[in-house]
Amino acid sequence: MIIEEISLRGSRFSDISIKEMHTIDVIGDIKDATPSDISRVLMVTLGTVTTSLNNLERKGYIERVRSTKDRRVVHLYLTRKGRLVYRLHQRFHQTMVKEITEGMDETEYQVMKKGLENLYHFLEGLK
């Protein structure tokens, strides 16, 4: 996350934090995302999500749209600026994985993959 933060700070998107970037990622990954979706995926309170969404909307990265089926529901969408930073962040992750796995044979790759899966499951168990 430190590397991601440094990368963001050095880009033209230096006005967003890594936590806000993760919020953008969730909105980009989930069709018709809601604040509750963000809260669940990022494991933060709805109040924390609301603060982040207010900042991202003010900065022009997201927009809120009320559902036409249920006016109580708010859907979140990336603006053009939001979609751009989302795609750049996805590319950053793809490049990082490519650099890490470059030169590995299939056996080495599978061992690393298994180790990361084990780490993920361990960390999931701590929640």
Side-chain angles (χ1 to χ4, degrees), residues 32-46:
D32 298 325
T34 65
S36 295
D37 293 330
I38 311 271
S39 176
R40 181 179 34 77
V41 171
L42 297 181
M43 294 180 295
V44 295
T45 67
L46 207 46

mmCIF file with all atom_site columns, all heavy atoms in Angstrom, residues 32-46:
data_model
loop_
_atom_site.group_PDB
_atom_site.id
_atom_site.type_symbol
_atom_site.label_atom_id
_atom_site.label_alt_id
_atom_site.label_comp_id
_atom_site.label_asym_id
_atom_site.label_entity_id
_atom_site.label_seq_id
_atom_site.pdbx_PDB_ins_code
_atom_site.Cartn_x
_atom_site.Cartn_y
_atom_site.Cartn_z
_atom_site.occupancy
_atom_site.B_iso_or_equiv
_atom_site.pdbx_formal_charge
_atom_site.auth_seq_id
_atom_site.auth_comp_id
_atom_site.auth_asym_id
_atom_site.auth_atom_id
_atom_site.pdbx_PDB_model_num
ATOM 1   N N   . ASP A 1 32 ? -23.493 -1.020 -10.479 1.00 0.00 ? 32 ASP A N   1
ATOM 2   C CA  . ASP A 1 32 ? -24.513 -0.360 -9.653  1.00 0.00 ? 32 ASP A CA  1
ATOM 3   C C   . ASP A 1 32 ? -24.179 -0.444 -8.165  1.00 0.00 ? 32 ASP A C   1
ATOM 4   O O   . ASP A 1 32 ? -25.038 -0.717 -7.324  1.00 0.00 ? 32 ASP A O   1
ATOM 5   C CB  . ASP A 1 32 ? -25.903 -0.952 -9.907  1.00 0.00 ? 32 ASP A CB  1
ATOM 6   C CG  . ASP A 1 32 ? -26.371 -0.767 -11.338 1.00 0.00 ? 32 ASP A CG  1
ATOM 7   O OD1 . ASP A 1 32 ? -26.058 0.279  -11.942 1.00 0.00 ? 32 ASP A OD1 1
ATOM 8   O OD2 . ASP A 1 32 ? -27.046 -1.669 -11.862 1.00 0.00 ? 32 ASP A OD2 1
ATOM 9   N N   . ALA A 1 33 ? -22.915 -0.210 -7.827  1.00 0.00 ? 33 ALA A N   1
ATOM 10  C CA  . ALA A 1 33 ? -22.466 -0.290 -6.433  1.00 0.00 ? 33 ALA A CA  1
ATOM 11  C C   . ALA A 1 33 ? -23.265 0.662  -5.548  1.00 0.00 ? 33 ALA A C   1
ATOM 12  O O   . ALA A 1 33 ? -23.717 1.723  -5.988  1.00 0.00 ? 33 ALA A O   1
ATOM 13  C CB  . ALA A 1 33 ? -20.981 0.045  -6.351  1.00 0.00 ? 33 ALA A CB  1
ATOM 14  N N   . THR A 1 34 ? -23.426 0.263  -4.302  1.00 0.00 ? 34 THR A N   1
ATOM 15  C CA  . THR A 1 34 ? -24.084 1.089  -3.293  1.00 0.00 ? 34 THR A CA  1
ATOM 16  C C   . THR A 1 34 ? -23.091 1.357  -2.164  1.00 0.00 ? 34 THR A C   1
ATOM 17  O O   . THR A 1 34 ? -22.091 0.640  -2.032  1.00 0.00 ? 34 THR A O   1
ATOM 18  C CB  . THR A 1 34 ? -25.327 0.391  -2.711  1.00 0.00 ? 34 THR A CB  1
ATOM 19  O OG1 . THR A 1 34 ? -24.899 -0.780 -2.000  1.00 0.00 ? 34 THR A OG1 1
ATOM 20  C CG2 . THR A 1 34 ? -26.339 0.026  -3.794  1.00 0.00 ? 34 THR A CG2 1
ATOM 21  N N   . PRO A 1 35 ? -23.367 2.348  -1.337  1.00 0.00 ? 35 PRO A N   1
ATOM 22  C CA  . PRO A 1 35 ? -22.491 2.574  -0.183  1.00 0.00 ? 35 PRO A CA  1
ATOM 23  C C   . PRO A 1 35 ? -22.356 1.328  0.700   1.00 0.00 ? 35 PRO A C   1
ATOM 24  O O   . PRO A 1 35 ? -21.266 1.053  1.222   1.00 0.00 ? 35 PRO A O   1
ATOM 25  C CB  . PRO A 1 35 ? -23.171 3.726  0.558   1.00 0.00 ? 35 PRO A CB  1
ATOM 26  C CG  . PRO A 1 35 ? -23.845 4.503  -0.536  1.00 0.00 ? 35 PRO A CG  1
ATOM 27  C CD  . PRO A 1 35 ? -24.350 3.432  -1.476  1.00 0.00 ? 35 PRO A CD  1
ATOM 28  N N   . SER A 1 36 ? -23.409 0.553  0.838   1.00 0.00 ? 36 SER A N   1
ATOM 29  C CA  . SER A 1 36 ? -23.340 -0.676 1.637   1.00 0.00 ? 36 SER A CA  1
ATOM 30  C C   . SER A 1 36 ? -22.372 -1.685 1.019   1.00 0.00 ? 36 SER A C   1
ATOM 31  O O   . SER A 1 36 ? -21.661 -2.388 1.748   1.00 0.00 ? 36 SER A O   1
ATOM 32  C CB  . SER A 1 36 ? -24.724 -1.310 1.765   1.00 0.00 ? 36 SER A CB  1
ATOM 33  O OG  . SER A 1 36 ? -25.575 -0.468 2.494   1.00 0.00 ? 36 SER A OG  1
ATOM 34  N N   . ASP A 1 37 ? -22.339 -1.758 -0.320  1.00 0.00 ? 37 ASP A N   1
ATOM 35  C CA  . ASP A 1 37 ? -21.374 -2.637 -0.998  1.00 0.00 ? 37 ASP A CA  1
ATOM 36  C C   . ASP A 1 37 ? -19.947 -2.232 -0.632  1.00 0.00 ? 37 ASP A C   1
ATOM 37  O O   . ASP A 1 37 ? -19.108 -3.082 -0.325  1.00 0.00 ? 37 ASP A O   1
ATOM 38  C CB  . ASP A 1 37 ? -21.527 -2.564 -2.522  1.00 0.00 ? 37 ASP A CB  1
ATOM 39  C CG  . ASP A 1 37 ? -22.827 -3.143 -3.034  1.00 0.00 ? 37 ASP A CG  1
ATOM 40  O OD1 . ASP A 1 37 ? -23.366 -4.069 -2.400  1.00 0.00 ? 37 ASP A OD1 1
ATOM 41  O OD2 . ASP A 1 37 ? -23.307 -2.658 -4.080  1.00 0.00 ? 37 ASP A OD2 1
ATOM 42  N N   . ILE A 1 38 ? -19.688 -0.949 -0.674  1.00 0.00 ? 38 ILE A N   1
ATOM 43  C CA  . ILE A 1 38 ? -18.351 -0.430 -0.371  1.00 0.00 ? 38 ILE A CA  1
ATOM 44  C C   . ILE A 1 38 ? -17.987 -0.785 1.073   1.00 0.00 ? 38 ILE A C   1
ATOM 45  O O   . ILE A 1 38 ? -16.894 -1.273 1.352   1.00 0.00 ? 38 ILE A O   1
ATOM 46  C CB  . ILE A 1 38 ? -18.298 1.106  -0.540  1.00 0.00 ? 38 ILE A CB  1
ATOM 47  C CG1 . ILE A 1 38 ? -18.879 1.532  -1.856  1.00 0.00 ? 38 ILE A CG1 1
ATOM 48  C CG2 . ILE A 1 38 ? -16.892 1.629  -0.281  1.00 0.00 ? 38 ILE A CG2 1
ATOM 49  C CD1 . ILE A 1 38 ? -17.997 1.609  -3.012  1.00 0.00 ? 38 ILE A CD1 1
ATOM 50  N N   . SER A 1 39 ? -18.921 -0.536 1.984   1.00 0.00 ? 39 SER A N   1
ATOM 51  C CA  . SER A 1 39 ? -18.708 -0.813 3.394   1.00 0.00 ? 39 SER A CA  1
ATOM 52  C C   . SER A 1 39 ? -18.375 -2.282 3.630   1.00 0.00 ? 39 SER A C   1
ATOM 53  O O   . SER A 1 39 ? -17.433 -2.617 4.355   1.00 0.00 ? 39 SER A O   1
ATOM 54  C CB  . SER A 1 39 ? -19.963 -0.417 4.179   1.00 0.00 ? 39 SER A CB  1
ATOM 55  O OG  . SER A 1 39 ? -19.841 -0.742 5.526   1.00 0.00 ? 39 SER A OG  1
ATOM 56  N N   . ARG A 1 40 ? -19.122 -3.157 2.983   1.00 0.00 ? 40 ARG A N   1
ATOM 57  C CA  . ARG A 1 40 ? -18.930 -4.600 3.144   1.00 0.00 ? 40 ARG A CA  1
ATOM 58  C C   . ARG A 1 40 ? -17.578 -5.043 2.585   1.00 0.00 ? 40 ARG A C   1
ATOM 59  O O   . ARG A 1 40 ? -16.823 -5.749 3.251   1.00 0.00 ? 40 ARG A O   1
ATOM 60  C CB  . ARG A 1 40 ? -20.066 -5.353 2.454   1.00 0.00 ? 40 ARG A CB  1
ATOM 61  C CG  . ARG A 1 40 ? -19.990 -6.868 2.563   1.00 0.00 ? 40 ARG A CG  1
ATOM 62  C CD  . ARG A 1 40 ? -21.167 -7.563 1.878   1.00 0.00 ? 40 ARG A CD  1
ATOM 63  N NE  . ARG A 1 40 ? -21.684 -6.916 0.682   1.00 0.00 ? 40 ARG A NE  1
ATOM 64  C CZ  . ARG A 1 40 ? -21.104 -6.959 -0.523  1.00 0.00 ? 40 ARG A CZ  1
ATOM 65  N NH1 . ARG A 1 40 ? -20.004 -7.637 -0.708  1.00 0.00 ? 40 ARG A NH1 1
ATOM 66  N NH2 . ARG A 1 40 ? -21.650 -6.340 -1.555  1.00 0.00 ? 40 ARG A NH2 1
ATOM 67  N N   . VAL A 1 41 ? -17.256 -4.613 1.375   1.00 0.00 ? 41 VAL A N   1
ATOM 68  C CA  . VAL A 1 41 ? -16.011 -5.050 0.722   1.00 0.00 ? 41 VAL A CA  1
ATOM 69  C C   . VAL A 1 41 ? -14.777 -4.514 1.453   1.00 0.00 ? 41 VAL A C   1
ATOM 70  O O   . VAL A 1 41 ? -13.809 -5.241 1.674   1.00 0.00 ? 41 VAL A O   1
ATOM 71  C CB  . VAL A 1 41 ? -15.990 -4.622 -0.765  1.00 0.00 ? 41 VAL A CB  1
ATOM 72  C CG1 . VAL A 1 41 ? -14.631 -4.862 -1.390  1.00 0.00 ? 41 VAL A CG1 1
ATOM 73  C CG2 . VAL A 1 41 ? -17.069 -5.366 -1.541  1.00 0.00 ? 41 VAL A CG2 1
ATOM 74  N N   . LEU A 1 42 ? -14.809 -3.251 1.833   1.00 0.00 ? 42 LEU A N   1
ATOM 75  C CA  . LEU A 1 42 ? -13.642 -2.636 2.474   1.00 0.00 ? 42 LEU A CA  1
ATOM 76  C C   . LEU A 1 42 ? -13.622 -2.850 3.985   1.00 0.00 ? 42 LEU A C   1
ATOM 77  O O   . LEU A 1 42 ? -12.643 -2.482 4.645   1.00 0.00 ? 42 LEU A O   1
ATOM 78  C CB  . LEU A 1 42 ? -13.584 -1.138 2.159   1.00 0.00 ? 42 LEU A CB  1
ATOM 79  C CG  . LEU A 1 42 ? -13.403 -0.768 0.690   1.00 0.00 ? 42 LEU A CG  1
ATOM 80  C CD1 . LEU A 1 42 ? -13.349 0.742  0.524   1.00 0.00 ? 42 LEU A CD1 1
ATOM 81  C CD2 . LEU A 1 42 ? -12.160 -1.418 0.112   1.00 0.00 ? 42 LEU A CD2 1
ATOM 82  N N   . MET A 1 43 ? -14.710 -3.417 4.507   1.00 0.00 ? 43 MET A N   1
ATOM 83  C CA  . MET A 1 43 ? -14.821 -3.691 5.947   1.00 0.00 ? 43 MET A CA  1
ATOM 84  C C   . MET A 1 43 ? -14.618 -2.426 6.783   1.00 0.00 ? 43 MET A C   1
ATOM 85  O O   . MET A 1 43 ? -13.789 -2.388 7.701   1.00 0.00 ? 43 MET A O   1
ATOM 86  C CB  . MET A 1 43 ? -13.854 -4.794 6.359   1.00 0.00 ? 43 MET A CB  1
ATOM 87  C CG  . MET A 1 43 ? -14.200 -6.118 5.752   1.00 0.00 ? 43 MET A CG  1
ATOM 88  S SD  . MET A 1 43 ? -13.090 -7.444 6.203   1.00 0.00 ? 43 MET A SD  1
ATOM 89  C CE  . MET A 1 43 ? -11.581 -6.902 5.454   1.00 0.00 ? 43 MET A CE  1
ATOM 90  N N   . VAL A 1 44 ? -15.356 -1.391 6.414   1.00 0.00 ? 44 VAL A N   1
ATOM 91  C CA  . VAL A 1 44 ? -15.362 -0.137 7.164   1.00 0.00 ? 44 VAL A CA  1
ATOM 92  C C   . VAL A 1 44 ? -16.805 0.250  7.428   1.00 0.00 ? 44 VAL A C   1
ATOM 93  O O   . VAL A 1 44 ? -17.729 -0.294 6.817   1.00 0.00 ? 44 VAL A O   1
ATOM 94  C CB  . VAL A 1 44 ? -14.627 0.999  6.395   1.00 0.00 ? 44 VAL A CB  1
ATOM 95  C CG1 . VAL A 1 44 ? -13.147 0.682  6.238   1.00 0.00 ? 44 VAL A CG1 1
ATOM 96  C CG2 . VAL A 1 44 ? -15.261 1.259  5.053   1.00 0.00 ? 44 VAL A CG2 1
ATOM 97  N N   . THR A 1 45 ? -17.004 1.198  8.328   1.00 0.00 ? 45 THR A N   1
ATOM 98  C CA  . THR A 1 45 ? -18.363 1.609  8.661   1.00 0.00 ? 45 THR A CA  1
ATOM 99  C C   . THR A 1 45 ? -18.987 2.404  7.522   1.00 0.00 ? 45 THR A C   1
ATOM 100 O O   . THR A 1 45 ? -18.274 2.982  6.683   1.00 0.00 ? 45 THR A O   1
ATOM 101 C CB  . THR A 1 45 ? -18.387 2.484  9.924   1.00 0.00 ? 45 THR A CB  1
ATOM 102 O OG1 . THR A 1 45 ? -17.723 3.726  9.638   1.00 0.00 ? 45 THR A OG1 1
ATOM 103 C CG2 . THR A 1 45 ? -17.740 1.770  11.105  1.00 0.00 ? 45 THR A CG2 1
ATOM 104 N N   . LEU A 1 46 ? -20.298 2.449  7.532   1.00 0.00 ? 46 LEU A N   1
ATOM 105 C CA  . LEU A 1 46 ? -21.018 3.228  6.530   1.00 0.00 ? 46 LEU A CA  1
ATOM 106 C C   . LEU A 1 46 ? -20.677 4.711  6.662   1.00 0.00 ? 46 LEU A C   1
ATOM 107 O O   . LEU A 1 46 ? -20.608 5.434  5.667   1.00 0.00 ? 46 LEU A O   1
ATOM 108 C CB  . LEU A 1 46 ? -22.518 2.981  6.678   1.00 0.00 ? 46 LEU A CB  1
ATOM 109 C CG  . LEU A 1 46 ? -23.391 3.141  5.452   1.00 0.00 ? 46 LEU A CG  1
ATOM 110 C CD1 . LEU A 1 46 ? -22.808 2.467  4.226   1.00 0.00 ? 46 LEU A CD1 1
ATOM 111 C CD2 . LEU A 1 46 ? -24.782 2.621  5.729   1.00 0.00 ? 46 LEU A CD2 1
#
